[in-house]
Amino acid sequence: MTTVNRPGAPDGHVCGIDTALEVIGGKWKVLALWALHEQPHRRFGELRRMLPGVTEKVLAAHLRELEADGVVHRESYDEVPPRVEYSLTEDGVRLNGALAPLGDWGRTRVRAARSAARPESALVDGTRGPGY
């Protein structure tokens, strides 16, 4: 992925977060990284099934960009039919580690929103529901 230099920064980056977002920017990239973390070697079709809603074109483009950024490795096997597997590089594993606290934050936020959406008065017997 090419960097668009920003004014005032010789290398085009303002801070480390700017650099990281350049790599993970895009709706499906972080989810593809998660899928590759769940199982080290995945074929394209497996990744696509794990990410309902992504098109083949978009997933292929995101995987190419992640490969160019050095966080995903693409291994092509000379077989019939052709087989291609994707895995995380060492840098990709480190990136997933850095994203883990963000995932924790998101899960906490979702739980809090769900709890707020369930008023106690909605419970028939007046007891507190699960998760309280």
Side-chain angles (χ1 to χ4, degrees), residues 46-106:
E46 292 175 304
L47 287 170
R48 184 149 186 258
R49 283 189 295 278
M50 289 188 75
L51 309 175
V54 68
T55 64
E56 285 186 24
K57 180 181 177 180
V58 169
L59 181 58
H62 282 314
L63 288 170
R64 276 193 302 274
E65 290 171 7
L66 289 168
E67 182 184 11
D69 288 329
V71 294
V72 167
H73 174 72
R74 180 182 187 271
E75 183 75 32
S76 182
Y77 296 91
D78 191 21
E79 299 176 351
V80 177
R83 178 171 57 112
V84 175
E85 288 184 347
Y86 295 90
S87 60
L88 293 175
T89 63
E90 191 174 309
D91 215 21
V93 171
R94 286 190 9 217
L95 176 57
N96 259 352
L99 290 170
L102 185 61
D104 293 341
W105 178 85

Side-chain angles (χ1 to χ4, degrees), residues 108-131:
T108 300
R109 185 172 166 91
V110 167
R111 279 194 300 272
R114 286 181 183 155
S115 293
R118 286 187 297 192
E120 287 186 51
S121 62
L123 296 174
V124 177
D125 61 2
T127 61
R128 301 186 84 150

Side-chain angles (χ1 to χ4, degrees), residues 10-25:
D11 66 353
H13 296 107
V14 177
C15 66
I17 292 174
D18 182 30
T19 304
L21 287 175
E22 182 179 305
V23 174
I24 62 171

